[in-house]
Amino acid sequence: MREVVRAVVTKVSRADSALSMRVPAALAYLASRAGISKPVVYDHFSSRSALLLSLYEDFDHRHIADLRAAIAHTPPDLRQRIEAIATAHVACVVAQGSELSGVVAALVGTPDLESARQESERRYVDICRQAMRSAEAPRTSTRKQRSHS
């Protein structure tokens, strides 16, 4: 039940910020929009910053899922993997510009945002490295490596 309430408030907040192109409103307002009492919302989010951080993390999880899906649907060819990673990254940047900019602006300078960003970057780089390491190099590169050995 706890995760359901958290997901509902996060979804309402994301929808509100997308419609108004601004940072989500006060928790009391979001509680009424989600059809949940204020105490229930405050039980899940101790502050507006906690909600904003949750929105950031939600966006990050969706971005990572999209990246993994793009890699999973790409043959193990290095060039195709790199193209899939680049395409997923551009899609994220486009979505981030409209959905996440206000959230990040409201959290700038907070230790929680910096920690979340570092963890997000680490996960992203690890996934990309693994995808490229598991890819097969183009045949021309393989021949060149063999001739230099």
Side-chain angles (χ1 to χ4, degrees), residues 30-138:
L30 290 171
S32 71
R33 294 263 300 130
I36 301 169
S37 69
K38 286 190 286 186
V40 171
V41 172
Y42 281 100
D43 185 45
H44 290 78
F45 301 101
S46 58
S47 66
R48 184 170 176 259
S49 291
L51 171 63
L52 293 172
L53 186 61
S54 178
L55 288 172
Y56 179 89
E57 290 168 345
D58 178 67
F59 181 87
D60 182 57
H61 293 301
R62 287 183 289 127
H63 170 56
I64 293 293
D66 290 347
L67 175 63
R68 286 187 170 145
I71 292 167
H73 291 98
T74 304
D77 173 75
L78 183 59
R79 180 175 293 237
Q80 289 179 356
R81 289 270 172 98
I82 291 170
E83 288 174 5
I85 291 168
T87 300
H89 183 75
V90 169
C92 172
V93 170
V94 169
Q96 179 179 346
S98 61
E99 184 177 338
L100 202 63
S101 59
V103 171
V104 171
L107 288 169
V108 165
T110 64
D112 290 337
L113 176 62
E114 290 310 310
S115 176
R117 276 186 166 174
Q118 288 172 0
E119 179 60 23
S120 173
E121 184 178 316
R122 184 199 57 76
R123 265 194 318 271
Y124 182 85
V125 169
D126 287 349
I127 292 167
C128 292
R129 279 186 184 139
Q130 179 58 37
M132 289 187 275
R133 284 181 182 142
S134 66
E136 298 169 1

